[in-house]
Amino acid sequence: MPSTLRQLALAAVIGAPEQHDSARVVDAVRRPRVLVRELLAGLVVGLALIPEAISFSIVAGVSPSVGLYSSVVMAIVISIVGGRRAMISAATGAIALVVAPVAREHGLQYLLATVMLAGLLQVALGAIGFAKLMRFIPRSVMVGFVNALAILIFMAQLPHLIGVPWAVYPLVALGVAVIVLFPRFTRAVPAPLIAVVVITVITVAAGVHIPTVGDEGSLPTGLPVFGLPQVPLTFDTLRIIGPFALAAALVGLVESLMTAKLVDDITETGSNKSRESVGQGIAQVASGLFGGMGGCGMIGQTMINVRGSGARTRLSTFSAGVFLLILMVVLHDLVGEIPMAALVAVMVMVCVGTFDWHSIRPATLRRMPVGETVVMVVTVVVVVATNDLSIGVVVGVVAAMIVFARRVARFATVERTVDDAGEVRYRVDGELFFASSNDLTHRFDYAEDPSPVVIDLSGSHVWDASTVAALDAIATRYARHGTEVRIEGMNAASEHFHGRLTGTLAGED
């Protein structure tokens, strides 16, 4: 009976509505080593979240407590309602940049209302299947996203490496060495946690004066308080917060779903993207209700959790939120003494592990189509230039669409043959859409071909109205020369589409 109660309690914490989640709950209960791994992974993430949340609060123009409370609430809530196990959601720079104008021009209460509206929009988008759009993001964009992310994470560490005491550099190097070498001896304890402990002990024992977490901002000493934003429920309020809420909802979903997809690839497991979308919205609303600034999936902390510490269950995410709350409320004096050099070492190794080094090897670049490489580079450049992952993904997808359209357009071929009876037949092969059918009208000899002319589309598929218009224009040009045109061989879908639109589009060519 006690074992059953313990499993049920842990299931409630982990949020295990699916059969494979339940199996992981039982596994964590029966194997203390797994339970310890997940808890320690959460502790490492909780430590790493503190300076990040404080920094993002400053970006948003609010008190550090707003970002820290947001991280606590989002991590705990998403661990229960999210669709991707072991993924970390908390306050992020992308959301901070979006909502900063609201806080600056209208104050904290309007920011909280913006966050809650963004959460409701995310719930709605998740319910209508927004996550399904992720299937249209090609691999080259995903690689560019990952590489750009690694670059951004490294760039975020530069302020902690420039203009600092010389002792910072050997301590960062020591932290990197511990993270690299410690797993060779044991993986029972996450190497990043050992690095943080070792560097902290050295600096405190030796009295080394270097920047610490406490220098980034004061930590709150109380619990977050539940309450509704104090804003008037009017159309003017909606007009103020609406555009920012929509932007935050879209940016948050794009980054969260991209992070979830990356974790899927790393862990070789699937996730429920629609549930993750709805879960992000619920976590946003909860964040606003407890005075938080909102957030989304955090790729850096997720990589610490999944790749650095080996976490695989919801318990790691839940414990990250709980440990963050304990650290900032109960142990804030001790946490304030942690050197930033320790956390920089952790993040530098996250960069190294996140970057897809295989994608830039000369052998890979030689084999990869030029268009794919261009899309990857465009994605990286746009993300780094704008410091916005969502903009880079959108631009990368557009670039991939252009490359794909140009490539497919070349595959549409037209071959002219004349049989023994003198009948002219044009065989069209390939996918027919706006890019490939635009020059289709120039591939026929209207003046010389005798009537009737047969256009064989058995090797093609008609995809859009542009192709139907092109076929109508071909028939019109032949009609001017008194030549009859017969279109044959269309598959059922193409024939239905063509039959519905032919003769109803443009006027005579």
Side-chain angles (χ1 to χ4, degrees), residues 20 90 102-103 112 122 198 223 245 254 296 346 352 392 423 479-480 496 507:
H20 53 268
V102 181
L112 300 181
Q122 287 180 330
V198 168
L223 297 173
V254 169
C296 60
V346 173
V352 174
E423 182 181 74
R480 290 174 184 168
H496 175 73

Side-chain angles (χ1 to χ4, degrees), residues 139-196:
R139 180 185 177 278
S140 53
V141 175
M142 190 66 188
V143 172
F145 168 84
V146 170
N147 291 347
L149 189 59
I151 294 172
L152 288 182
I153 294 174
F154 180 78
M155 291 173 61
Q157 310 314 308
L158 293 180
H160 304 296
L161 294 171
I162 298 175
V164 294
W166 67 268
V168 168
Y169 303 110
L171 287 172
V172 170
L174 173 62
V176 170
V178 170
I179 295 172
V180 172
L181 298 176
F182 188 78
R184 298 185 180 182
F185 301 98
T186 178
R187 293 183 178 272
V189 181
L193 178 60
I194 298 300
V196 171

Side-chain angles (χ1 to χ4, degrees), residues 45 137 140 178 266 349 359 452:
V45 172
I137 298 180
S140 53
V178 170
I266 292 173
M349 290 309 299
S359 66

Side-chain angles (χ1 to χ4, degrees), residues 311-325:
R312 290 296 183 270
T313 74
R314 298 176 185 273
L315 181 59
S316 61
T317 307
F318 181 86
S319 61
V322 172
F323 278 128
L324 175 58
L325 184 62

Side-chain angles (χ1 to χ4, degrees), residues 53-397:
I54 293 174
S55 299
F56 298 148
S57 299
I58 295 172
V59 171
V62 295
S63 167
S65 62
V66 177
L68 289 166
Y69 287 153
S70 183
S71 297
V72 169
V73 173
M74 290 203 68
I76 292 175
V77 173
I78 203 67
S79 70
I80 300 171
V81 301
R84 172 64 258 179
R85 298 183 304 276
M87 193 176 96
I88 304 298
S89 293
T92 60
I95 300 298
L97 288 171
V98 172
V99 300
V102 181
R104 183 173 59 250
E105 299 173 15
H106 304 282
L108 175 62
Q109 295 302 314
Y110 277 84
L111 181 147
L112 300 181
T114 301
V115 169
M116 291 184 63
L117 179 57
L120 295 175
L121 290 173
Q122 287 180 330
V123 171
L125 290 170
I128 64 176
F130 178 85
K132 295 179 181 178
L133 295 177
M134 293 301 295
R135 72 182 67 178
F136 297 107
I137 298 180
R139 180 185 177 278
S140 53
V141 175
M142 190 66 188
V143 172
F145 168 84
V146 170
N147 291 347
L149 189 59
I151 294 172
L152 288 182
I153 294 174
F154 180 78
M155 291 173 61
Q157 310 314 308
L158 293 180
H160 304 296
L161 294 171
I162 298 175
V164 294
W166 67 268
V168 168
Y169 303 110
L171 287 172
V172 170
L174 173 62
V176 170
V178 170
I179 295 172
V180 172
L181 298 176
F182 188 78
R184 298 185 180 182
F185 301 98
T186 178
R187 293 183 178 272
V189 181
L193 178 60
I194 298 300
V196 171
V197 171
V198 168
I199 295 176
T200 302
V201 170
I202 290 175
T203 55
V204 172
V208 180
H209 297 288
I210 59 175
T212 63
V213 171
D215 297 330
E216 297 295 305
S218 60
L219 301 180
T221 57
L223 297 173
V225 179
F226 179 87
L228 291 172
Q230 300 301 306
V231 298
L233 300 178
T234 63
F235 179 77
D236 285 340
T237 300
L238 181 62
R239 179 180 55 81
I240 292 171
I241 69 175
F244 297 100
L246 178 60
L250 294 175
V251 169
L253 282 184
V254 169
E255 293 206 19
S256 298
L257 293 175
M258 291 288 284
T259 303
K261 188 175 186 301
L262 181 60
V263 178
D264 290 350
D265 295 339
I266 292 173
T267 62
E268 298 182 354
T269 59
S271 61
N272 188 331
K273 303 298 191 302
S274 293
R275 178 183 171 185
E276 180 63 34
S277 301
V278 174
Q280 287 291 328
I282 295 173
Q284 289 273 35
V285 173
S287 172
L289 288 173
F290 283 94
M293 55 180 276
C296 60
M298 298 191 74
I299 185 69
Q301 277 64 30
T302 299
M303 289 300 99
I304 293 176
N305 196 44
V306 174
R307 180 165 277 170
S309 302
R312 290 296 183 270
T313 74
R314 298 176 185 273
L315 181 59
S316 61
T317 307
F318 181 86
S319 61
V322 172
F323 278 128
L324 175 58
L325 184 62
I326 295 172
L327 289 169
M328 70 184 190
V329 174
V330 180
L331 304 174
H332 54 273
D333 291 334
L334 178 62
V335 172
E337 296 299 320
I338 296 176
M340 286 302 300
L343 299 179
V344 169
V346 173
M347 297 308 292
V348 166
M349 290 309 299
V350 168
C351 297
V352 174
T354 301
F355 196 92
D356 188 348
W357 299 101
H358 178 75
S359 66
I360 61 172
R361 290 178 181 173
T364 303
L365 295 175
R366 283 195 299 268
R367 291 194 301 267
M368 192 68 64
V370 175
E372 301 283 326
T373 303
V374 170
V375 170
M376 180 191 72
V377 172
V378 167
T379 303
V380 171
V381 170
V382 173
V383 170
V384 173
T386 63
N387 200 33
D388 192 318
L389 293 165
S390 59
I391 293 177
V393 170
V394 171
V395 173
V397 170

